[in-house]
Amino acid sequence: MDIGVLLPTATAQWGPADDPRELIALGREAERSGFSSLFVGDSLISPRIEALTMLAALAPVTNTVTLGTAALLPFLRRPVQAAQSLASIDLLSGGRLTVTVGAGFPGRFGRPLYALSELPWERRFARLDETVALWRALWDGADSFHGDLLHFDDLPPTTRPARGHPPIWLGGATPAALARTGRTYDGWLPYPPDPADYASGLHAVRGAAADAGRALEDVTPALFVSVRVDDDAESGRRALDDYARAVYGMPLDRLEEIQAVVTGSADQVLQGMQRYADAGARHVVIRLAALDLPSQRDQLERLAALLPALRATPAQKSSAPLRSSGVQ
């Protein structure tokens, strides 16, 4: 199993005395500690370091970790320019980029972003899929693209990624998203509260992939989960409740109805993570549930101590990431 970290790029995860430039040091420390990947979030709702800017800063100062988005919202950017930025980050990192994309959520976490981007909320999933198809076409050297929503003639040469296409994962768990993941995407990064839902979703993804003539290893089964290692479950839940209220404006009991959350002692965290491993997750992106950078670093150290045990799950072929050569 690959274990990665979501860097706390949102200001809600910083303390008053924190310097955001410490995020670079935190990322390098995670790499030295043995984590497999560094991911960043994307939004216009809350102040944060912009996702692609953060990855560009990390690319030349890291060596082995995958650099990823969880999840990038392509509608916030012009699609051709976004392809150029993503390819540039992939080049600067030596081919270590993985791009998880999403179409946004109903309510205050998604729909207002479309208004800010001057794009319609309707047909957002079709727009997402077409944007990804456009990126892949550009990286293959296409000089035009004609979809239902996106139309470009006389496309100029664009920057090519380091090797083929960066893997593009989808963050979503509706039946339609599961089918689209299996047919088109290189990985799946959901955050279901119940491991049983992860297992059933992964089964649907693999069924759609098989129907599309794709192999098992063509879709990386990943997981996004908020984790807090504490003295016990009670103290961990108190800290997670503070985190949920500060970052999402809701109590923990509401957050864990929609997102995967694991907390408690080291042994309890291992048990909780094992349930998702048993359900098939093979690349876990951990969000450190802490509200200032020193506490984030403390959580990173506590989790680093658990890496050997977290990785001691039976290896499966599905753990291999995909580096596409051009097949969509």
Side-chain angles (χ1 to χ4, degrees), residues 59-148:
V61 299
T62 56
N63 297 299
T64 61
V65 286
T66 294
L67 301 177
T69 58
L72 190 75
L73 303 174
F75 64 87
L76 299 182
R77 300 161 177 84
R78 295 186 180 275
V80 175
Q81 288 85 338
Q84 176 99 337
S85 297
L86 292 168
S88 299
I89 293 168
D90 196 59
L91 281 171
L92 291 171
S93 67
R96 290 184 284 124
L97 180 65
T98 289
V99 186
T100 306
V101 296
F105 303 98
R108 65 186 178 94
F109 293 113
R111 190 159 188 159
L113 300 181
Y114 279 81
L116 288 169
S117 302
E118 299 180 311
L119 288 173
W121 175 252
E122 293 73 25
R123 301 197 69 189
R124 60 193 182 277
F125 301 114
R127 184 177 298 276
L128 175 66
D129 291 345
E130 280 198 15
T131 299
V132 170
L134 170 64
W135 292 348
R136 289 167 166 164
L138 285 166
W139 295 333
D140 284 339
D143 58 9
S144 65
F145 182 88
H146 300 98
D148 291 336

Side-chain angles (χ1 to χ4, degrees), residues 153-174:
D153 291 311
D154 301 319
L155 287 168
T158 190
T159 303
R160 302 284 189 92
R163 295 185 298 276
H165 300 165
I168 301 181
W169 299 355
L170 184 63
T174 65

Side-chain angles (χ1 to χ4, degrees), residues 121-286:
W121 175 252
E122 293 73 25
R123 301 197 69 189
R124 60 193 182 277
F125 301 114
R127 184 177 298 276
L128 175 66
D129 291 345
E130 280 198 15
T131 299
V132 170
L134 170 64
W135 292 348
R136 289 167 166 164
L138 285 166
W139 295 333
D140 284 339
D143 58 9
S144 65
F145 182 88
H146 300 98
D148 291 336
L149 297 173
L150 302 177
H151 307 273
F152 296 97
D153 291 311
D154 301 319
L155 287 168
T158 190
T159 303
R160 302 284 189 92
R163 295 185 298 276
H165 300 165
I168 301 181
W169 299 355
L170 184 63
T174 65
L178 299 176
R180 289 160 50 230
T181 301
R183 290 195 308 265
T184 305
Y185 289 86
D186 304 320
W188 183 48
L189 184 64
Y191 44 77
D194 190 335
D197 291 333
Y198 186 92
S200 62
L202 182 57
H203 179 77
V205 167
R206 288 175 168 167
D211 290 344
R214 306 179 74 199
L216 179 69
E217 62 268 22
D218 286 351
V219 184
T220 299
L223 170 74
F224 184 93
V225 56
S226 296
V227 177
R228 172 84 184 192
V229 183
D230 219 307
D231 296 333
D232 51 49
E234 182 179 352
S235 57
R237 289 187 62 81
R238 285 197 300 268
L240 268 166
D241 187 68
D242 291 341
Y243 182 89
R245 293 175 187 274
V247 175
Y248 285 98
M250 64 177 68
L252 174 60
D253 57 358
R254 283 186 57 201
L255 180 65
E256 60 189 353
E257 290 176 357
I258 56 175
Q259 289 194 7
V261 173
V262 174
T263 190
S265 66
D267 286 343
Q268 289 171 319
V269 167
L270 285 173
Q271 292 170 10
M273 297 295 287
Q274 183 64 50
R275 295 176 65 208
Y276 283 102
D278 292 343
R282 290 297 176 267
H283 191 133
V284 177
V285 179
I286 292 175

